[in-house]
Amino acid sequence: MTTPTDAKKPRRRQLWRWGLNLLLFVAALQAIDWWKTRPLPSGEAPPLQGIALDGERRALADYRGAPLLVHFWASWCPICRVSEGAIAAVAEDHQVLTVAMQSGSDADIAAYLDAQGLDLVVIPDPDGAIAARWGVGAVPTSFVLDATGAIHSSTMGLSTAPGLRARLWAAAQGAPAAETLPPPAARL
């Protein structure tokens, strides 16, 4: 005859295995994210200034005092299209500056934004010079800068609005990025 505690042992063992598998999965995602972002700059952010599509001159200094999301994207990038909603959602309640890398003329970029229903601050980067200064070799790539303009964290590839908001929150707290970021699965 089995007792109720005997029946729970296989279930506990199964839950423990699931937890271990989840932990390994999260560790693998973290390692992949680290590997992809190795060549990206850290510390003080590289210079970034230009004329945005709205005709205003924009520079990083304009955004000091609060965390800033700097997002590199391209109109031809399918992963960027998937990320657009997250970037637009974050831009509703945080400072966001985007850079359209090699996406055509200003009119092309404006038409693309209009067709997608996006209202973002965009600096065109027709020849990829800004992206090169920032070490961006693939899009989408996002950087979170703290209130002083230092790079707090960076990510390459698909990101979610909650993941980006968590990074911005961590930058506002002044906490080191690695200690405050949610697991990579939450950033997907």
Side-chain angles (χ1 to χ4, degrees), residues 38-104:
R38 285 176 310 120
L40 297 177
S42 59
E44 189 65 28
L48 173 55
Q49 64 181 9
I51 304 296
L53 291 180
D54 63 8
E56 297 289 322
R57 175 167 284 286
R58 305 292 174 124
L60 289 182
D62 301 335
Y63 295 92
R64 295 280 163 92
L68 168 68
L69 174 65
V70 178
H71 179 71
F72 288 82
W73 63 278
S75 60
W76 45 263
C77 167
I79 302 300
C80 297
R81 286 191 186 127
V82 174
S83 300
E84 290 170 351
I87 302 303
V90 170
E92 290 177 7
D93 50 5
H94 292 283
Q95 296 188 119
V96 176
L97 178 62
T98 72
V99 179
M101 188 175 100
Q102 300 170 333
S103 294

